[in-house]
Amino acid sequence: MAETEQAGAEFDFGKYDRTQQITQQADEFIENPTRDGFKSMWDRMHAASQRGRAEQILSKWDGSIEDLASLIETVRDASQYDSDWERQLGAKATIQELFGHLHIEEYPIINAATESGLAFFGYDTPTSYTDGVEAFEAFLDTYERVVGHATADADHGLTVPIRLEVDQLFNVIDKADESSIEDERSAVATELYDTVLNGTRIGDPPTLDLKDFSDANPTTYWVNQSNEPELIDEYLKAKVDNVWHHDLETVEAGDIILHHYEDELVAYSVATGEHETYTFQGEEYQRIGVDIHWFDDPIIVDAGLKQTLGEDQYRTDEYYVLDSHDNFKQAYLSRLSDDAAEYLLQKAGVSPPEGGSIGPPGGPYVKPENAGTIERQLKQNKQVVFYGPPGTSKTYEAKQFAEWWTRERTSTPPTTPQVRTVTFHPSFSYEDFLEGLTADATDDGTVTYDVEDGVLKRIAADATDALEATPDDESPPPFVLIIDEINRGNLAQIFGEVITLLEADKRATYEVELAHSGESFTLPPNLYLIGTMNTADQSIALVDTALRRRFRFIDYPPDLDTVLATDASIDRDAAALVRDRASTISDRDRLLGASLLAVEELNTRILDAPQLGKGKQIGHTYLMGHDSVTDIVDAWRYDILPQLEEYYFGQTERLRQELLDDTGSTWFDWDTERIQLFTATELYDALCTLAGIDDPVTLAGDTHSPTETTTEPASSSQDGLNDSWANGERTPDTFRERIQHTLTEDNAAKFNTIMDAGEDVARLDPGRGEQNAKLMVKSDRVNPNVGIVKLEQDGTIGFRWDWLTSNENAVVSSEFVADAATVFESVPGYTHDWDSEGESSESPELAVEDLSMEDAEALAAAIRKFVDRAAEHE
């Protein structure tokens, strides 16, 4: 078609000629300013219905026609958009569209059709040109990956810019119906439009192939997990009985599992080894190791997800995660179809692991750059510790090396996982690490004590079995135990008498007698330990001397070059990102460059600061993986600045004098000693000042206004999230700290009333979320592993009826829960609709803001009554 305003789906290759004509007419108007010249440019750009408005714009123009030509010249010659032009001309849409036509190679055309197209693909309607560019470019990334440059090979005789191609696509979506595709003369465009209008939307994630995630031909499963250690230590565990959803023998190496925990899908994993069977408290259990991969954003398991997974295309014939009424089953392990698993992985936004799929032993793993150094130290001492400031990839590299090394040095894979991970913390004990005693009452009323093996004893047994099965002329397969945060535990107490066995020359030649079982114990020579420690928490000089001389220590300092080296979209150094005036450098890249320069300067100051030093420098991972300006702003606001604040223990004047004196009050309100809210532009300016950059290119637009001030409680600030909980100390007390900053004073008081009741009759058990803190009220009289009530930092109160009898740890029956939970009906807003068969179970939720203090007291009283009934039930 000749004119874009005509209806129809035809791809208007002539529009590129039209864009060039608009550019030419703009040039002519600038050279020879006349009213007719302006109207001609306007008419070429607008539909017929708007052509008369050129005269209205001219009638409102206060300056001369030469001044108007000067404005158009400024728009033509600018390297970035200036929203002030809209005010000057009094025609926002015209300026935005004109700028796009004049800069079509670098910037999009933003108009009503663009908004319709973006809305079609699920993007919010832009409120400014900057918003429009951000949404357009986000869509363009997906478009180029899925479609490419569809019209690049068309026979029009021109190379049509891809932004114009997308603009034409948006015009089709805005103006055409499906039948009008038949009028299209270009086969390339017909295929493109048909795909978009009749098929899968380009904005949808590309189809995943499960084989990209596993070297096997995987079966896929869903697991309802209430036992958090299974997630942390990466395994599945179930009783050996005749219940179908406990049958872990069906899970084979390479199978894929989706993990459901606390009403969220939090991760997927791949089964890594064969099963082990063991006895605990007289019961026989199966256990299988898995490789966990956490989702960046968990999937909420709600009614919407039930509806989707209930569709016929996703169901399996038997053992499916939903029952016939589309309710989630309480089964531990359920089957998923491949289509359902692919849908969930796409919804979680995950990609296949780099370097190939993961799965059973023997799969491809990436070799770390310093693998030779690590291997040499391990062979010499059997143990190493990676030490350095937070955010320097210590844990990541420990796991990367261990996975690569065990597979590289293993000819015949053993039947148990060769790499396992444990995290030390103040409550971690000898019993967790080596062995502990558990009491069990017998039928005749006596008590027996069983020994339960800890993580070191279990992996040592597996390594010994593999060693004994290895022919004399071959090297045994290595086993690696990764101890994350090794310095946070009481090392002398945790290792106990085994500390002697860590010495390389005592492996398999020296035995000790274990404290509880009295068994002789030794460490095999093919078992290696890798610890990680943050020097921000503790210097290596303070590590127990006996332990320190048994480990080799490998330094992990900040490596800021890694940030840009791993970002394939950036081909400049940090200084060039800030100073280079090329229009192709995005605000995100400029802000990242300024951040790197500022962190480099901060790390130099930290080295010179009294009581800080290299152990408290800022690690490079704080600046990795950020896809937007907002992500970088948040990294400073919620990660880096709280870390610096923590180093000074509230002595903000010292923080200002030693590190941040030249940032003014942008980041901190020094009078109130609180971290400020700041925009991207304010952050960028402060970073450039801190780094000594005196000629930075300004950002194109401030895309992160501090809107949090409109939603946060009047009595608090988001800087309260710099608390002990965020730093890894997750206790009832630190949860109480957290809610003082996420809830209003009144709502926090209501939560405290509920928690007080929980502490009186049960116990408070913290969840694992860093940003979304949670606390469960748990009672051993009900189920020691599942909370009766779940409290979240945003004020949500969740009831756990559908979980309380879902595992082997339940003390009470479904019938008891169905009856006893009616005590909560005294709380306004609570509804009790749960059948004891579990076929139509629901987990009610309340919002603390909807409750009065009297309601909160009624809820606290109901918790007491529920636990009291459980005590009577015993």
Side-chain angles (χ1 to χ4, degrees):
M1 67 184 180
E3 298 289 340
T4 29
E5 60 269 20
Q6 285 181 258
E10 180 178 353
F11 188 94
D12 184 10
F13 289 106
K15 186 172 182 181
Y16 189 37
D17 297 328
R18 181 168 168 273
T19 295
Q20 292 177 316
Q21 291 170 11
I22 291 171
T23 302
Q24 180 180 353
Q25 288 181 325
D27 291 340
E28 292 174 355
F29 174 60
I30 292 166
E31 293 297 323
N32 182 27
T34 65
R35 297 175 67 90
D36 288 341
F38 178 78
K39 287 191 285 186
S40 178
M41 182 185 69
W42 176 284
D43 292 347
R44 173 60 59 183
M45 195 163 46
H46 288 82
S49 61
Q50 295 177 294
R51 288 179 180 171
R53 285 203 62 217
E55 193 62 49
Q56 296 178 27
I57 295 298
L58 288 170
S59 66
K60 294 178 181 178
W61 180 253
D62 292 335
S64 65
I65 196 68
E66 288 76 13
D67 293 335
L68 181 56
S70 178
L71 173 61
I72 302 304
E73 182 178 16
T74 300
V75 174
R76 181 195 66 182
D77 296 341
S79 60
Q80 58 190 26
Y81 189 80
D82 187 344
S83 59
D84 191 54
W85 300 331
E86 301 166 6
R87 178 190 57 79
Q88 295 178 50
L89 184 63
K92 174 181 176 181
T94 298
I95 284 292
Q96 292 186 1
E97 185 165 351
L98 176 62
F99 184 77
H101 280 294
L102 298 179
H103 301 274
I104 193 63
E105 295 286 352
E106 296 87 17
Y107 288 94
I109 297 167
I110 302 296
N111 54 22
T114 311
E115 294 177 0
S116 296
L118 290 172
F120 179 82
F121 293 109
Y123 292 86
D124 293 336
T125 300
T127 58
S128 66
Y129 185 80
T130 301
D131 285 347
V133 171
E134 186 173 351
F136 187 100
E137 294 299 322
F139 171 79
L140 184 61
D141 286 343
T142 303
Y143 182 90
E144 288 183 300
R145 184 175 70 252
V146 178
V147 176
H149 196 160
T151 59
D153 298 324
D155 56 3
H156 181 62
L158 294 169
T159 300
V160 179
I162 192 168
R163 287 173 179 79
L164 183 59
E165 177 178 307
V166 173
D167 175 76
Q168 282 292 275
L169 172 63
F170 287 167
N171 271 276
V172 170
I173 293 170
D174 184 46
K175 298 187 175 78
D177 57 28
E178 297 180 18
S179 62
S180 61
I181 294 176
E182 299 173 1
D183 299 329
E184 172 59 57
R185 293 196 297 268
S186 165
V188 174
T190 299
E191 182 179 359
L192 171 62
Y193 298 151
D194 188 55
T195 298
V196 174
L197 295 176
N198 293 325
T200 302
R201 293 183 178 185
I202 296 173
D204 288 344
T207 301
L208 294 176
D209 187 342
L210 293 178
K211 291 183 179 180
D212 292 335
F213 291 81
S214 170
D215 289 334
N217 185 18
T219 302
T220 55
Y221 296 90
W222 169 297
V223 61
N224 287 319
Q225 213 141 24
S226 60
N227 185 23
E228 188 176 15
E230 292 183 30
L231 288 164
I232 296 172
D233 294 336
E234 304 190 22
Y235 65 89
L236 302 180
K237 182 190 78 170
K239 278 185 180 179
V240 177
D241 52 26
N242 293 322
V243 179
W244 67 265
H245 60 88
H246 290 166
D247 189 8
L248 289 181
E249 287 187 355
T250 62
V251 182
E252 298 180 352
D255 286 346
I256 295 174
I257 301 101
L258 276 296
H259 293 263
H260 177 210
Y261 180 73
E262 293 190 350
D263 300 328
E264 295 176 338
L265 281 178
V266 297
Y268 80 91
S269 69
V270 181
T272 60
E274 299 298 328
H275 309 77
E276 63 172 318
T277 303
Y278 64 96
T279 301
F280 176 61
Q281 293 186 350
E283 299 280 357
E284 195 173 21
Y285 289 87
Q286 294 173 328
R287 175 184 171 117
I288 183 170
V290 297
D291 274 338
I292 292 280
H293 298 265
W294 296 96
F295 295 151
D296 291 336
D297 295 306
I299 299 173
I300 304 298
V301 176
D302 56 13
L305 190 66
K306 283 193 292 188
Q307 182 177 358
T308 300
L309 293 181
E311 296 173 7
D312 290 342
Q313 63 176 315
Y314 293 128
R315 283 187 172 275
T316 60
D317 292 335
E318 56 184 2
Y319 307 141
Y320 189 52
V321 65
L322 297 179
D323 62 22
S324 58
H325 302 292
D326 283 351
N327 291 310
F328 285 107
K329 293 179 179 177
Q330 297 181 28
Y332 177 70
L333 191 74
S334 300
R335 284 290 306 274
L336 284 176
S337 65
D338 288 353
D339 287 341
E342 289 171 359
Y343 164 76
L344 292 169
L345 290 171
Q346 288 179 183
K347 186 174 179 65
V350 300
S351 300
E354 295 181 7
S357 57
I358 60 175
Y365 283 80
V366 178
K367 178 181 179 181
E369 289 185 8
N370 61 340
T373 299
I374 300 171
E375 182 176 25
R376 189 168 63 253
Q377 304 312 313
L378 276 178
K379 287 183 175 179
Q380 179 67 30
N381 259 48
K382 302 293 185 181
Q383 293 88 223
V384 299
V385 168
F386 297 171
Y387 73 97
T392 53
S393 302
K394 299 178 292 297
T395 301
Y396 172 81
E397 188 136 326
K399 292 182 178 180
Q400 184 187 37
F401 169 82
E403 297 289 2
W404 167 81
W405 190 54
T406 53
R407 285 154 175 77
E408 188 72 14
R409 301 293 183 263
T410 300
S411 55
T412 303
T415 59
T416 53
Q418 291 172 261
V419 179
R420 301 177 200 177
T421 302
V422 65
T423 302
F424 280 4
H425 51 78
S427 299
F428 198 84
S429 66
Y430 175 94
E431 287 73 19
D432 298 315
F433 196 53
L434 279 156
E435 62 176 19
L437 292 178
T438 59
D440 189 22
T442 62
D443 293 338
D444 61 5
T446 60
V447 177
T448 62
Y449 292 91
D450 297 318
V451 175
E452 183 177 5
D453 294 340
V455 61
L456 179 64
K457 194 174 177 183
R458 290 198 300 269
I459 195 172
D462 292 341
T464 299
D465 291 344
L467 175 65
E468 293 173 348
T470 302
D472 293 339
D473 58 344
E474 295 182 13
S475 298
F479 281 67
V480 178
L481 177 62
I482 298 172
I483 305 174
D484 204 20
E485 306 280 4
I486 190 171
N487 55 314
R488 294 191 66 238
N490 184 335
L491 301 182
Q493 185 268 336
I494 292 172
F495 280 92
E497 64 273 11
V498 173
I499 193 168
T500 303
L501 303 181
L502 295 178
E503 296 181 24
D505 60 356
K506 291 185 172 58
R507 297 296 183 92
T509 64
Y510 191 88
E511 294 181 345
V512 298
E513 183 178 303
L514 296 179
H516 295 305
S517 66
E519 297 175 0
S520 295
F521 180 72
T522 188
L523 290 177
N526 60 325
L527 175 60
Y528 302 86
L529 274 62
I530 300 178
T532 70
M533 66 172 286
N534 279 332
T535 49
D537 300 328
Q538 181 182 19
S539 166
I540 61 172
L542 300 178
V543 176
D544 183 275
T545 304
L547 195 71
R548 192 167 70 244
R549 66 184 180 84
R550 289 171 168 82
F551 282 78
R552 288 281 175 91
F553 285 76
I554 300 176
D555 187 17
Y556 275 73
D559 183 8
L560 297 175
D561 292 340
T562 301
V563 178
L564 296 183
T566 56
D567 193 324
S569 67
I570 297 179
D571 58 1
R572 294 171 171 83
D573 62 24
L577 290 173
V578 176
R579 291 191 172 104
D580 195 328
R581 299 190 176 277
S583 60
T584 54
I585 302 176
S586 67
D587 281 359
R588 173 260 183 188
D589 292 352
R590 294 197 191 280
L591 191 55
L592 181 60
S595 296
L596 290 168
L597 296 172
V599 168
E600 184 177 24
E601 173 61 25
L602 278 174
N603 281 343
T604 299
R605 298 182 185 185
I606 289 171
L607 281 173
D608 296 334
Q611 302 176 16
L612 294 186
K614 70 174 186 177
K616 289 181 166 59
Q617 290 182 302
I618 300 170
H620 50 273
T621 62
Y622 284 121
L623 297 176
M624 296 182 72
H626 300 315
D627 297 327
S628 68
V629 165
T630 301
D631 288 346
I632 299 174
V633 172
D634 286 349
W636 280 94
R637 181 67 179 72
Y638 300 113
D639 289 328
I640 298 174
L641 294 179
Q643 186 74 42
L644 296 178
E645 186 181 39
E646 181 70 18
Y647 289 161
Y648 282 89
F649 303 103
Q651 301 177 52
T652 52
E653 181 57 24
R654 280 189 55 217
L655 170 61
R656 183 184 65 78
Q657 291 178 356
E658 295 176 8
L659 299 184
L660 304 178
D661 191 39
D662 39 11
T663 63
S665 58
T666 300
W667 295 345
F668 278 86
D669 183 330
W670 301 111
D671 294 331
T672 62
E673 300 184 348
R674 300 172 79 118
I675 300 175
Q676 301 266 57
L677 292 170
F678 41 77
T679 67
T681 298
E682 290 168 341
L683 172 64
Y684 180 73
D685 292 344
L687 293 172
C688 291
T689 302
L690 179 64
I693 306 298
D694 53 7
D695 57 344
V697 177
T698 58
L699 298 186
D702 189 347
T703 59
H704 187 73
S705 298
T707 56
E708 291 92 331
T709 54
T710 64
T711 59
E712 65 180 354
S715 62
S716 69
S717 168
Q718 290 294 323
D719 63 300
L721 297 185
N722 169 34
D723 54 17
S724 301
W725 182 286
N727 293 326
E729 185 182 343
R730 309 225 168 110
T731 67
D733 286 341
T734 60
F735 182 83
R736 290 179 190 266
E737 258 181 49
R738 171 61 70 92
I739 63 171
Q740 296 301 318
H741 300 287
T742 58
L743 301 177
T744 64
E745 184 177 347
D746 288 345
N747 288 335
K750 298 172 199 172
F751 252 31
N752 281 313
T753 296
I754 298 167
M755 287 186 282
D756 289 344
E759 284 187 315
D760 284 347
V761 297
R763 73 178 189 280
L764 302 180
D765 188 10
R768 63 173 183 83
E770 178 177 336
Q771 295 301 320
N772 184 24
K774 302 173 184 177
L775 197 73
M776 274 68 69
V777 177
K778 293 183 178 179
S779 171
D780 291 343
R781 292 170 169 170
V782 179
N783 189 322
N785 294 97
V786 179
I788 302 168
V789 175
K790 178 176 67 173
L791 308 176
E792 300 186 49
Q793 69 172 43
D794 65 357
T796 300
I797 304 166
F799 297 84
R800 316 292 289 151
W801 309 143
D802 54 341
W803 281 83
L804 282 178
T805 58
S806 64
N807 62 24
E808 66 273 10
N809 298 308
V811 178
V812 297
S813 65
S814 296
E815 291 76 12
F816 168 83
V817 174
D819 176 60
T822 56
V823 299
F824 290 91
E825 291 178 342
S826 61
V827 182
Y830 175 87
T831 56
H832 186 69
D833 181 18
W834 189 79
D835 95 31
S836 61
E837 299 299 322
E839 289 297 319
S840 58
S841 61
E842 296 292 342
S843 292
E845 283 191 351
L846 298 173
V848 70
E849 64 185 17
D850 295 334
L851 304 179
S852 67
M853 179 55 78
E854 291 75 16
D855 298 336
E857 290 169 351
L859 176 55
I863 292 173
R864 291 188 172 94
K865 290 178 182 178
F866 185 86
V867 177
D868 287 344
R869 285 197 183 187
E872 295 169 1
H873 180 73
E874 293 176 338

